[in-house]
Amino acid sequence: MNDMRVVERDVDINELKMKARDVDVFYGDIHAIKNVDVDIEDKTVTAFIGPSGCGKSTFLRCLNRMNDTIDICRVTGTITLDNEDIYDPKVDPVQLRAKVGMVFQKPNPFPKSIYDNVAYGPRIHGLSSNKADLDQIVERSLRRAALWNEAKDRLNEPGTGLSGGQQQRLCIARAVATNPEVLLMDEPCSALDPIATAQVEELIDELRSQYSVVIVTHSMQQAARVSQKTAFFHLGELVEFGETGHIFTNPDDPRTESYITGRIG
Amino acid sequence: MPLLWTLTIVLLLGAAGYVLGRRRAIASAGGDVRLLHSLPGYYGTNVAMFTIVPALLVLSVWMLIQPMIIQSQITAMISDSAIEAAGSRDLVMTDVRRVANGLDSAIAEGGLTEDEARALRTDSSDIRARLAETGVALGGDVTPEVLNAAQQYRTLSRTGNLLLSATVLVLAGLGLGYAYSRTHQEFRARNAVERAILSILMLASTIAILTTVGIVFSMLFETFNFFQLYPWQDFFFGLEWRPSFEGGSDLGLIPLLWGTIYISIIALLVSVPIGLFAAIYMAEYSSKRTRSIVKPLIEVLAGIPTIVYGLFALITVGPMLRDYFAEPLGLGTSSSSVMTAGIVMGIMLIPFISSLSDDIINAVPQSLRDGSYGLGATQSETVKQVILPAALPGIVGAVLLAASRAIGETMIVVLGAGAAARLDLNPFEAMTTVTVKIVGQLTGDTDFSSPEALVAFALGLTLFVITLGLNVFALYIVRKYREQYE
Ligand SMILES: Nc1ncnc2c1ncn2[C@@H]1O[C@H](COP(=O)(O)OP(=O)(O)OP(=O)(O)O)[C@@H](O)[C@H]1O
Ligand SMILES: [Mg+2]
């Protein structure tokens, strides 16, 4: 924890992008998220940290209604995106997910070529007018995900043939290509080497100029490096949420302190 | 000694070997199982295997070979005049076997003693009558030569069987002894069992392959005979199918093949879309509850015997198609038609396609769906662009399975499309398929030396080659796809 650099942060207040109030999530009888309130600001990186199984992924999946695909999962409370309730029956989850993109914990490239993987979102949402346009989107996304150099000569080869870390970057490129307003990343660097991790962190920092990013991570250093806000979850509860600098240097809750110094986990 | 006994004794020896081997292994480790290389059960299994497997192998090979040897020895005994009198060597041999079996059953029922059977003479007793008493009917009087041969046959079989039992039992004992003596704390029984299991598995697949080869060869042989009697060009390229048992028939394959392909294509056109869409609905859209009701209901279709489908074609679909489509459109007045058979066969194939595809679609990992939904794709976009491509190899397999069923189907064709071979484009005409004609050529009084009967084998072989080609093609597609996407 000694090398933890708490970088200079612009503490200027950004406008609120997403707001969660009194969110509870149940998997059948399991109460996975207990009464959580979180604010996701625009043009900000928010980190979710906490021990394994505490509900980080579950909460992240609430933010783009991915939990709808799990039969036994029930979400209560309100979550808004730009002051609109995303669980309102009027809201189309498909539309929502185009705005709130997601990179999953496990890499899940489609059984298609690398090119088609990245072009998937733009094609569905009609983001390109012609082939050249699409080529450009694909190249830019792959570059941002730090995969271009490795992939540029094998764009037509299957995405599933890449290594685990490359697949994860492909999934990041795929999510970025759709141009979301909020990007949810569930442990995007867990399979990456330090170099690729640094590149992805750079990307996150770059994305911050336009979008808001929510990242789940088990690496305290990473949370400290890339995020401006940090939320610490423990056993389904949100223990502490605030400025990253504050959480890492001067946490209010003893549990947060023990976790970031490595005593519980 | 009857075979069953030999078998039982071998198995008992094996069981004893298991117990002994296990016990010896444990004893060799001084009672401490942890000192053994393998678990005690492996030592037992190893001994049991050495006891049973070689013995059974010899048993089965022997049983295959013994009849052949006896047959050839007896055949050599029979004089040419006897053969001439009976018509052919095979007929004489049949007689010999019947008399031998008759004597056996007479002894078993107590009508004769062993010695009496051996001492029987044609001049001293009416064998035909005596055997008839015990329920064995013979076609004609037994000649001394046949009786003699039959008695010889019995003697040879008896000696053979005795020798067999002795060999097998000795072998089992040797195996047991050998494996038992090798059983020791250090012996790697686990590895030995592993190797043995491997060879059993290999044996099983070899048998499967050899059987296929055997089938092909028997067909090849008859087909070859057929082509000696009938020019192959006329068979493969003939446009007429007009067999007549007085000779001079036209045996062209094309009309039958055309009927087969036409009906199969219609069947697939009906079943693939319906089956696949039903599968997609069940796997992707329906709730668990609906699925648990719909799937078994569809599968009920698979349990209906094809003859019932045939009746449905004959009395319902056929007349309906004729009255509402064929006649108003001026396309024919026949109620048996390619369309009828094709549609009904398609209905029959729906559960194959839907059930298999449903399983395959369900096997596509949820993470792929999540990935697609997470990018804002709708359900149908996800199905079309991610799930179906991922499931494609399996679906191709399901379709080809359905295609081979369609090609091999007979009952629905007979009742739905009739048995008239015709080369026509009109789907409302009666036509027929290869399988129907195979049955047709082989039912009733058939003379297996005429081209009209032998053509059935040529047809069968052709079908075999076609389905084989279909499978190879499917493999090719699946593999190509795999290379691209996995
Ligand atoms: N599909 C599911 N069905 C039932 N229970 C689930 C399901 N997904 C998650 N859970 C439960 O919800 C709780 C939170 O899980 P979640 O995946 O959100 O944890 P996490 O914080 O992301 O952990 P990790 O850091 O290991 O990824 C766990 O107790 C888990 O067992
Ligand atoms: Mg998780």
Side-chain angles (χ1 to χ4, degrees), chain A residues 61 64 66 69 71 94 97-98 100-102 104 108-113 120-121 124-125 158 160-161 174-175 178, chain B residues 288 366-379 381-382 384-386 389-390 481-486:
Chain A
R61 291 165 63 94
N64 68 345
M66 277 308 288
T69 61
D71 283 340
V94 170
R97 291 181 198 131
V100 185
M102 182 156 200
F104 292 84
N108 55 352
F110 301 133
K112 295 172 177 291
S113 70
Y120 187 82
I124 285 182
H125 301 296
T160 39
R174 192 173 70 180
T178 314
Chain B
K288 274 215 176 68
Q366 179 64 28
S367 66
L368 288 186
R369 293 187 184 90
D370 285 350
S372 176
Y373 294 141
L375 291 170
T378 64
Q379 221 160 358
E381 284 162 351
T382 305
K384 198 173 70 198
Q385 307 213 25
V386 175
Y481 174 89
R482 285 253 162 87
E483 268 166 21
Q484 205 179 349
Y485 289 131
E486 224 158 61

Side-chain angles (χ1 to χ4, degrees), chain B residues 133-369:
Chain B
E133 282 168 29
T134 61
V136 180
L138 290 181
D141 275 332
V142 181
T143 62
E145 196 172 357
V146 167
L147 179 65
N148 198 8
Q151 279 161 337
Q152 185 66 24
Y153 184 95
R154 292 192 60 233
T155 322
L156 281 178
S157 321
R158 271 170 54 94
T159 350
N161 285 346
L162 266 182
L163 259 180
L164 169 64
S165 295
T167 320
V168 167
L169 291 181
V170 166
L171 211 63
L174 283 180
L176 194 152
Y178 173 70
Y180 182 73
S181 72
R182 289 221 301 167
T183 302
H184 184 264
Q185 182 188 346
E186 299 291 318
F187 178 63
R188 306 186 169 194
R190 195 175 172 207
N191 308 30
V193 170
E194 193 63 34
R195 272 194 302 276
I197 287 178
L198 175 67
S199 27
I200 291 175
L201 298 180
M202 273 164 55
L203 185 73
S205 54
T206 318
I207 289 177
I209 293 171
L210 284 183
T211 320
T212 318
V213 173
I215 293 175
V216 172
F217 268 96
S218 69
M219 301 266 281
L220 264 181
F221 187 69
E222 300 289 355
T223 306
F224 182 74
N225 285 345
F226 169 68
F227 285 132
Q228 304 240 299
L229 300 170
Y230 193 85
W232 63 271
Q233 304 91 329
D234 291 358
F235 173 70
F236 283 116
F237 303 116
L239 300 180
E240 293 283 349
W241 177 268
R242 219 179 293 115
S244 75
F245 281 94
E246 293 91 58
S249 27
D250 289 316
L251 300 173
L253 170 70
I254 302 285
L256 304 185
L257 203 57
W258 170 244
T260 305
I261 293 172
Y262 205 173
I263 293 179
S264 303
I265 286 179
I266 293 179
L268 289 181
L269 284 180
V270 172
S271 60
V272 172
I274 298 183
L276 198 56
F277 291 167
I280 291 173
Y281 171 71
M282 285 191 294
E284 294 295 317
Y285 289 85
S286 73
S287 67
K288 274 215 176 68
R289 242 181 71 83
T290 326
R291 181 161 182 266
S292 70
I293 298 169
V294 173
K295 194 168 179 179
L297 276 184
I298 293 182
E299 278 164 3
V300 165
L301 280 180
I304 301 177
T306 54
I307 187 77
V308 176
Y309 280 108
L311 294 176
F312 177 57
L314 183 72
I315 56 173
T316 313
V317 180
M320 215 168 75
L321 284 179
R322 180 193 55 199
D323 297 343
Y324 295 110
F325 293 96
E327 281 185 345
L329 294 173
L331 285 174
T333 55
S334 160
S335 73
S336 320
S337 67
V338 169
M339 208 60 171
T340 311
I343 289 177
V344 174
M345 208 190 277
I347 297 172
M348 176 192 81
L349 295 177
I350 289 173
F352 280 88
I353 307 246
S354 74
S355 233
L356 285 171
S357 309
D358 176 58
D359 291 343
I360 293 155
I361 291 174
N362 262 315
V364 173
Q366 179 64 28
S367 66
L368 288 186
R369 293 187 184 90

Side-chain angles (χ1 to χ4, degrees), chain A residues 57 105 186-187:
Chain A
S57 302
Q105 187 163 355
D186 198 347
E187 298 185 35

Side-chain angles (χ1 to χ4, degrees), chain A residues 4-54:
Chain A
M4 198 162 69
R5 298 165 292 132
V6 178
V7 284
E8 296 256 328
R9 285 157 217 287
D10 32 335
V11 231
D12 46 356
I13 307 299
N14 287 312
E15 67 185 89
L16 221 52
K17 188 70 185 171
M18 298 191 81
K19 194 168 75 174
R21 288 293 174 267
D22 304 327
V23 175
D24 283 87
V25 182
F26 303 86
Y27 290 109
D29 292 334
I30 304 173
H31 197 167
I33 289 287
K34 295 165 191 155
N35 200 15
V36 168
D37 295 351
V38 169
D39 292 332
I40 311 276
E41 287 168 17
D42 203 13
K43 303 196 167 59
T44 303
V45 179
T46 308
F48 289 177
I49 59 172
S52 190
C54 66

